[in-house]
Amino acid sequence: MAKFKHHVFICINERDESASRPSCSGDGSGRLKSAFKDAVKEAGLKGQVRANELGCLDQCEHGPVVVVYPDAVWYGAVSAKDVEEIVNEHLLHGRPVERLRLADTCLNTESCPHKPMLKRM
Amino acid sequence: MAKFKHHVFICINERDESASRPSCSGDGSGRLKSAFKDAVKEAGLKGQVRANELGCLDQCEHGPVVVVYPDAVWYGAVSAKDVEEIVNEHLLHGRPVERLRLADTCLNTESCPHKPMLKRM
């Protein structure tokens, strides 16, 4: 087997409640890795797709945040119930899930059209 | 600013000494993130490159392991003294550092030509 077809990174950063930015883990990102693991197995992609949890991806107001490489597709406000769709549509069939996708203009910016909707503070 | 030009993932997985596979952290991967942060700033790439530490990337015998996306270039046996070269050659000038690069045939495999050399058990 060669390199992974897709590599999924899930932010599980946890901040103190008094922090000025929200936490992906506070919005349930801790359940995403096992959901990805199950859905990847179910889709027959075991060994071709890896999911890793990690610290802050710096898109905190859009959390829970997931990024899929090498496509560099960023998803925001991801919940465990979205995972099967991401795996089946994007990872299996190459069709990113547009309703969850963060536009390039939403990344690494102070403000964007979706922030008020997604903001969980 | 849009998505990151490069996103660097550094395995800092730590296993018990009795584990059958080695740990990237045991080989000093904990020093890599700050080395990347410093080198990225020095190269004028702050905001364009992000480095994240995370758990097991499943290439344990080649550790410390670093993967750079969206290029999907995997590096093995990376030490802090290699970081400036990775940043300046690969991230700044688009030339992956071949001497540290893991071939596709070395990934997700039980055995490969480099394993005896890199094995730290």
Side-chain angles (χ1 to χ4, degrees), chain A residues 1-4 6-7 9 47 50 52-59 67 69-74 101 104-109, chain B residues 1-4 6-7 9 47 50 52-59 67 69-74 101 104-109:
Chain A
M1 205 179 295
K3 59 183 73 177
F4 302 120
H6 287 106
H7 205 153
F9 299 92
R50 187 165 183 86
N52 278 94
E53 294 176 332
L54 76 175
C56 186
L57 290 168
D58 207 24
Q59 319 301 328
V67 57
Y69 282 111
D71 317 33
V73 168
W74 289 76
R101 194 169 180 171
D104 288 2
T105 49
C106 296
L107 294 167
N108 303 317
T109 179
Chain B
M1 208 179 292
K3 59 181 74 175
F4 302 119
H6 287 105
H7 204 153
F9 298 93
R50 188 166 182 86
N52 279 94
E53 294 177 332
L54 76 177
C56 186
L57 290 168
D58 207 23
Q59 319 300 328
V67 57
Y69 283 111
D71 316 36
V73 168
W74 289 75
R101 194 169 180 170
D104 287 5
T105 49
C106 296
L107 295 167
N108 304 317
T109 180

XYZ file of all heavy atoms in Angstrom, chain A residues 1-4 6-7 9 47 50 52-59 67 69-74 101 104-109, chain B residues 1-4 6-7 9 47 50 52-59 67 69-74 101 104-109:
508
model
N 0.842 -1.199 0.000
C 0.000 0.000 0.000
C 0.881 1.255 0.000
O 1.914 1.266 0.637
C -0.864 -0.030 1.268
C -2.148 0.741 1.142
S -3.079 0.616 2.668
C -3.464 -1.143 2.694
N 0.495 2.245 -0.718
C 1.301 3.479 -0.764
C 0.722 4.519 0.194
O 0.115 4.181 1.201
C 1.343 4.015 -2.184
N 0.886 5.769 -0.135
C 0.399 6.802 0.772
C -1.126 6.797 0.841
O -1.799 6.224 -0.017
C 0.928 8.174 0.379
C 0.582 8.646 -1.012
C 1.222 10.008 -1.309
C 2.701 9.926 -1.534
N 3.331 11.211 -1.892
N -1.633 7.447 1.872
C -3.085 7.460 2.053
C -3.768 8.193 0.899
O -3.300 9.235 0.444
C -3.460 8.150 3.368
C -2.842 7.515 4.577
C -1.996 8.228 5.410
C -3.094 6.178 4.889
C -1.420 7.641 6.532
C -2.522 5.584 6.004
C -1.685 6.322 6.825
N -6.702 9.589 1.260
C -7.117 10.797 1.968
C -6.644 10.736 3.416
O -6.638 9.656 4.021
C -8.650 10.951 1.969
C -9.221 11.346 0.654
N -9.907 10.474 -0.151
C -9.207 12.532 -0.008
C -10.292 11.096 -1.247
N -9.881 12.336 -1.187
N -6.307 11.886 3.929
C -5.890 11.995 5.333
C -6.764 13.072 5.976
O -6.786 14.219 5.528
C -4.407 12.368 5.376
C -3.711 11.965 6.628
N -2.360 11.708 6.693
C -4.172 11.756 7.887
C -2.029 11.371 7.916
N -3.103 11.397 8.678
N -7.984 15.314 9.197
C -7.485 15.884 10.451
C -8.628 16.571 11.184
O -9.311 17.439 10.624
C -6.343 16.861 10.166
C -5.160 16.203 9.500
C -5.050 16.171 8.115
C -4.179 15.571 10.255
C -3.975 15.546 7.494
C -3.102 14.935 9.648
C -2.997 14.917 8.260
N -7.301 1.548 5.573
C -5.941 1.491 5.047
C -5.680 2.542 3.980
O -4.544 2.953 3.765
N -6.829 7.739 6.561
C -6.495 7.802 7.979
C -7.122 9.054 8.580
O -7.134 10.111 7.946
C -4.985 7.815 8.186
C -4.585 7.711 9.665
C -3.137 7.354 9.868
N -2.815 7.189 11.271
C -2.972 6.050 11.953
N -3.404 4.969 11.349
N -2.665 5.986 13.243
N -6.871 11.514 11.953
C -6.103 11.877 13.148
C -6.745 13.054 13.861
O -7.201 14.006 13.216
C -4.676 12.315 12.765
C -3.731 11.159 12.548
O -3.551 10.699 11.422
N -3.116 10.661 13.610
N -6.741 12.989 15.171
C -7.129 14.133 15.985
C -5.895 14.999 16.231
O -4.781 14.472 16.295
C -7.668 13.669 17.332
C -8.959 12.889 17.232
C -9.445 12.352 18.573
O -8.594 12.106 19.455
O -10.652 12.171 18.726
N -6.108 16.277 16.392
C -4.969 17.143 16.690
C -5.430 18.421 17.364
O -6.624 18.603 17.597
C -4.166 17.429 15.413
C -4.687 18.417 14.392
C -3.655 18.598 13.292
C -5.978 17.989 13.797
N -4.474 19.290 17.666
C -4.785 20.553 18.335
C -5.262 21.600 17.348
O -5.632 21.293 16.211
N -5.202 22.827 17.773
C -5.853 23.942 17.072
C -5.444 24.103 15.613
O -4.265 24.179 15.269
C -5.541 25.235 17.829
S -6.422 26.656 17.172
N -6.454 24.206 14.753
C -6.244 24.452 13.329
C -6.456 25.931 12.985
O -6.398 26.323 11.828
C -7.173 23.564 12.488
C -6.830 22.069 12.503
C -7.967 21.237 11.898
C -5.537 21.797 11.740
N -6.750 26.703 14.026
C -6.836 28.161 13.923
C -8.042 28.674 13.121
O -7.994 29.774 12.582
C -5.523 28.735 13.346
C -5.290 30.175 13.805
O -5.829 30.566 14.857
O -4.588 30.918 13.087
N -9.084 27.851 13.041
C -10.335 28.305 12.401
C -11.454 28.169 13.443
O -12.565 27.725 13.161
C -10.666 27.461 11.150
C -9.502 27.117 10.260
C -8.768 28.331 9.716
O -9.367 29.373 9.476
N -7.459 28.196 9.526
N -10.173 19.056 8.288
C -9.569 19.323 6.979
C -9.157 17.993 6.345
O -8.648 17.106 7.032
C -8.390 20.326 7.060
C -7.289 19.884 8.015
C -7.793 20.584 5.667
N -6.913 16.259 3.478
C -5.803 16.386 2.532
C -5.656 15.097 1.750
O -6.113 14.067 2.218
C -4.505 16.685 3.301
C -4.389 18.131 3.754
C -4.457 18.455 5.109
C -4.217 19.153 2.842
C -4.345 19.785 5.530
C -4.112 20.486 3.258
C -4.169 20.787 4.591
O -4.056 22.094 4.988
N -5.040 15.094 0.551
C -4.340 16.216 -0.073
C -5.254 17.223 -0.767
O -4.766 18.198 -1.326
C -3.440 15.523 -1.099
C -4.191 14.299 -1.488
C -4.882 13.855 -0.231
N -6.562 17.027 -0.696
C -7.491 17.936 -1.379
C -7.494 19.335 -0.774
O -7.907 20.285 -1.431
C -8.931 17.396 -1.306
C -9.027 15.911 -1.569
O -8.095 15.186 -1.216
O -10.049 15.473 -2.119
N -7.086 19.439 0.499
C -7.167 20.721 1.207
C -8.594 21.244 1.238
O -8.850 22.421 1.015
C -6.217 21.759 0.606
N -9.522 20.357 1.481
C -10.927 20.740 1.655
C -11.191 20.885 3.149
O -10.968 19.948 3.922
C -11.872 19.677 1.040
C -13.318 19.920 1.482
C -11.773 19.709 -0.480
N -11.656 22.075 3.524
C -11.939 22.383 4.930
C -13.444 22.320 5.171
O -14.224 22.878 4.407
C -11.421 23.782 5.274
C -9.921 23.892 5.340
C -9.065 23.942 4.276
C -9.115 23.974 6.517
N -7.770 24.047 4.734
C -7.769 24.074 6.098
C -9.388 23.979 7.900
C -6.708 24.182 6.990
C -8.330 24.084 8.802
C -7.008 24.183 8.351
N -18.692 22.813 3.615
C -17.381 23.272 3.186
C -17.130 24.734 3.550
O -17.996 25.592 3.369
C -17.300 23.103 1.665
C -15.912 23.215 1.118
C -15.907 22.756 -0.328
N -14.576 22.859 -0.892
C -14.235 22.360 -2.080
N -15.146 21.739 -2.807
N -13.013 22.482 -2.524
N -12.497 29.274 0.725
C -11.139 29.776 0.951
C -11.170 31.138 1.639
O -10.319 31.441 2.472
C -10.390 29.918 -0.379
C -10.011 28.564 -0.963
O -10.365 27.527 -0.365
O -9.354 28.552 -2.021
N -12.162 31.938 1.305
C -12.255 33.286 1.884
C -12.686 33.267 3.361
O -12.668 34.300 4.024
C -13.255 34.147 1.090
O -14.457 33.392 0.918
C -12.686 34.509 -0.266
N -13.086 32.089 3.848
C -13.458 31.969 5.265
C -12.271 31.523 6.124
O -12.361 31.496 7.353
C -14.581 30.957 5.446
S -16.106 31.435 4.658
N -11.178 31.150 5.463
C -10.032 30.616 6.197
C -9.046 31.720 6.543
O -8.765 32.591 5.718
C -9.319 29.546 5.357
C -10.136 28.284 5.086
C -9.473 27.453 3.989
C -10.301 27.446 6.341
N -8.547 31.645 7.762
C -7.501 32.586 8.196
C -7.901 34.037 7.987
O -7.116 34.849 7.516
C -6.184 32.276 7.453
C -5.764 30.847 7.679
O -5.836 30.347 8.790
N -5.342 30.173 6.625
N -9.129 34.332 8.344
C -9.625 35.697 8.193
C -10.308 36.150 9.484
O -10.845 35.327 10.236
C -10.612 35.777 7.005
O -11.083 37.105 6.893
C -11.794 34.844 7.189
N -6.372 36.372 3.640
C -5.543 35.183 3.442
C -6.423 33.947 3.200
O -7.471 33.820 3.809
C -4.701 34.964 4.705
C -3.387 34.254 4.443
S -2.494 34.083 5.982
C -2.090 35.794 6.338
N -6.024 33.091 2.310
C -6.829 31.903 2.035
C -6.246 30.694 2.781
O -5.652 30.836 3.834
C -6.868 31.653 0.539
N -6.408 29.531 2.217
C -5.913 28.333 2.908
C -4.396 28.328 2.975
O -3.718 29.053 2.242
C -6.462 27.069 2.257
C -6.124 26.894 0.792
C -6.747 25.612 0.246
C -8.241 25.715 0.039
N -8.859 24.551 -0.587
N -3.875 27.495 3.851
C -2.423 27.448 4.023
C -1.742 26.957 2.742
O -2.229 26.025 2.091
C -2.051 26.512 5.175
C -2.671 26.898 6.490
C -3.538 26.041 7.152
C -2.394 28.134 7.069
C -4.118 26.397 8.363
C -2.972 28.498 8.282
C -3.830 27.632 8.928
N 1.180 25.507 2.811
C 1.602 24.182 3.271
C 1.132 23.959 4.697
O 1.125 24.890 5.504
C 3.137 24.036 3.239
C 3.700 23.904 1.870
N 4.365 24.919 1.233
C 3.682 22.862 0.996
C 4.752 24.522 0.036
N 4.345 23.286 -0.148
N 0.798 22.722 4.990
C 0.377 22.355 6.334
C 1.253 21.166 6.759
O 1.266 20.131 6.089
C -1.110 21.971 6.320
C -1.796 22.128 7.637
N -3.147 22.371 7.752
C -1.330 22.075 8.913
C -3.477 22.460 9.027
N -2.391 22.277 9.750
N 2.483 18.346 9.478
C 1.981 17.542 10.598
C 3.131 16.721 11.178
O 3.804 15.980 10.456
C 0.841 16.635 10.128
C -0.344 17.411 9.609
C -0.463 17.705 8.263
C -1.318 17.884 10.478
C -1.535 18.454 7.782
C -2.399 18.626 10.016
C -2.505 18.913 8.662
N 1.768 32.536 8.625
C 0.410 32.700 8.116
C 0.153 31.876 6.863
O -0.975 31.530 6.558
N 1.318 26.274 8.367
C 0.981 25.938 9.749
C 1.595 24.593 10.101
O 1.617 23.684 9.269
C -0.538 25.889 9.957
C -0.921 25.733 11.426
C -2.376 26.008 11.695
N -2.691 25.893 13.120
C -2.555 26.881 14.002
N -2.129 28.046 13.605
N -2.857 26.700 15.283
N 1.363 21.530 12.929
C 0.593 20.936 14.025
C 1.238 19.650 14.494
O 1.687 18.839 13.677
C -0.838 20.587 13.572
C -1.785 21.759 13.577
O -1.969 22.425 12.571
N -2.408 22.025 14.726
N 1.246 19.461 15.800
C 1.642 18.177 16.374
C 0.401 17.289 16.454
O -0.714 17.783 16.616
C 2.181 18.375 17.792
C 3.468 19.162 17.833
C 3.957 19.426 19.248
O 3.111 19.489 20.164
O 5.170 19.568 19.431
N 0.614 15.999 16.363
C -0.531 15.084 16.481
C -0.064 13.694 16.875
O 1.136 13.473 17.075
C -1.344 15.062 15.177
C -0.809 14.286 13.976
C -1.832 14.347 12.846
C 0.495 14.831 13.488
N -1.020 12.780 17.002
C -0.717 11.418 17.410
C -0.229 10.580 16.243
O 0.157 11.115 15.193
N -0.288 9.294 16.419
C 0.361 8.329 15.521
C -0.048 8.455 14.047
O -1.226 8.446 13.705
C 0.050 6.924 16.007
S 0.943 5.662 15.085
N 0.973 8.543 13.194
C 0.749 8.574 11.741
C 0.965 7.191 11.128
O 0.908 7.030 9.909
C 1.676 9.611 11.093
C 1.337 11.074 11.405
C 2.457 12.002 10.970
C 0.030 11.477 10.721
N 1.261 6.233 11.988
C 1.351 4.818 11.598
C 2.557 4.476 10.711
O 2.507 3.503 9.970
C 0.039 4.376 10.922
C -0.194 2.873 11.089
O 0.360 2.266 12.022
O -0.924 2.296 10.260
N 3.603 5.296 10.801
C 4.854 4.979 10.083
C 5.972 4.919 11.136
O 7.088 5.400 10.919
C 5.164 6.054 9.020
C 3.992 6.565 8.225
C 3.263 5.495 7.440
O 3.860 4.517 6.987
N 1.948 5.661 7.294
N 4.654 14.841 7.853
C 4.053 14.840 6.513
C 3.635 16.261 6.154
O 3.118 16.999 7.002
C 2.878 13.832 6.398
C 1.791 14.085 7.421
C 2.276 13.847 4.984
N 1.381 18.518 3.698
C 0.276 18.574 2.740
C 0.126 19.997 2.235
O 0.577 20.921 2.898
C -1.022 18.120 3.425
C -1.140 16.628 3.593
C -1.084 16.053 4.861
C -1.287 15.786 2.498
C -1.187 14.671 5.014
C -1.392 14.411 2.647
C -1.350 13.857 3.898
O -1.446 12.494 4.050
N -0.472 20.249 1.055
C -1.186 19.264 0.231
C -0.282 18.407 -0.648
O -0.781 17.560 -1.378
C -2.092 20.149 -0.637
C -1.341 21.420 -0.770
C -0.624 21.620 0.521
N 1.033 18.591 -0.548
C 1.960 17.845 -1.400
C 1.955 16.343 -1.082
O 2.381 15.546 -1.914
C 3.398 18.356 -1.214
C 3.487 19.866 -1.182
O 2.573 20.491 -0.645
O 4.490 20.413 -1.662
N 1.546 15.985 0.135
C 1.624 14.592 0.585
C 3.061 14.071 0.500
O 3.310 12.959 0.058
C 0.668 13.696 -0.205
N 3.986 14.905 0.922
C 5.394 14.496 1.014
C 5.668 14.066 2.454
O 5.449 14.831 3.393
C 6.334 15.659 0.616
C 7.784 15.343 0.995
C 6.234 15.913 -0.887
N 6.129 12.815 2.588
C 6.412 12.249 3.909
C 7.918 12.261 4.160
O 8.701 11.847 3.293
C 5.898 10.810 3.982
C 4.405 10.691 4.017
C 3.538 10.861 2.971
C 3.597 10.372 5.157
N 2.242 10.673 3.399
C 2.250 10.363 4.729
C 3.878 10.096 6.503
C 1.183 10.088 5.592
C 2.822 9.811 7.366
C 1.495 9.814 6.915
N 13.176 12.088 2.503
C 11.848 11.723 1.995
C 11.608 10.217 2.070
O 12.480 9.415 1.726
C 11.760 12.190 0.549
C 10.379 12.203 -0.003
C 10.370 12.921 -1.337
N 9.035 12.941 -1.895
C 8.695 13.657 -2.956
N 9.583 14.398 -3.570
N 7.456 13.618 -3.405
N 6.973 6.317 -1.579
C 5.616 5.780 -1.450
C 5.659 4.308 -1.036
O 4.810 3.843 -0.271
C 4.867 5.900 -2.784
C 4.481 7.340 -3.088
O 4.869 8.241 -2.315
O 3.801 7.567 -4.093
N 6.652 3.591 -1.526
C 6.748 2.156 -1.220
C 7.181 1.893 0.226
O 7.166 0.751 0.679
C 7.752 1.475 -2.173
O 8.953 2.258 -2.197
C 7.184 1.358 -3.573
N 7.585 2.942 0.924
C 7.957 2.794 2.342
C 6.775 3.056 3.273
O 6.878 2.856 4.482
C 9.079 3.761 2.706
S 10.612 3.441 1.848
N 5.679 3.558 2.706
C 4.533 3.935 3.534
C 3.546 2.783 3.669
O 3.255 2.081 2.694
C 3.816 5.146 2.916
C 4.637 6.442 2.882
C 3.968 7.454 1.976
C 4.803 7.009 4.285
N 3.049 2.613 4.870
C 2.005 1.612 5.122
C 2.415 0.222 4.631
O 1.619 -0.474 4.008
C 0.686 2.046 4.465
C 0.268 3.409 4.950
O 0.347 3.708 6.128
N -0.157 4.259 4.038
N 3.640 -0.131 4.926
C 4.138 -1.427 4.497
C 4.831 -2.130 5.669
O 5.373 -1.467 6.559
C 5.125 -1.266 3.308
O 5.587 -2.553 2.934
C 6.314 -0.391 3.676
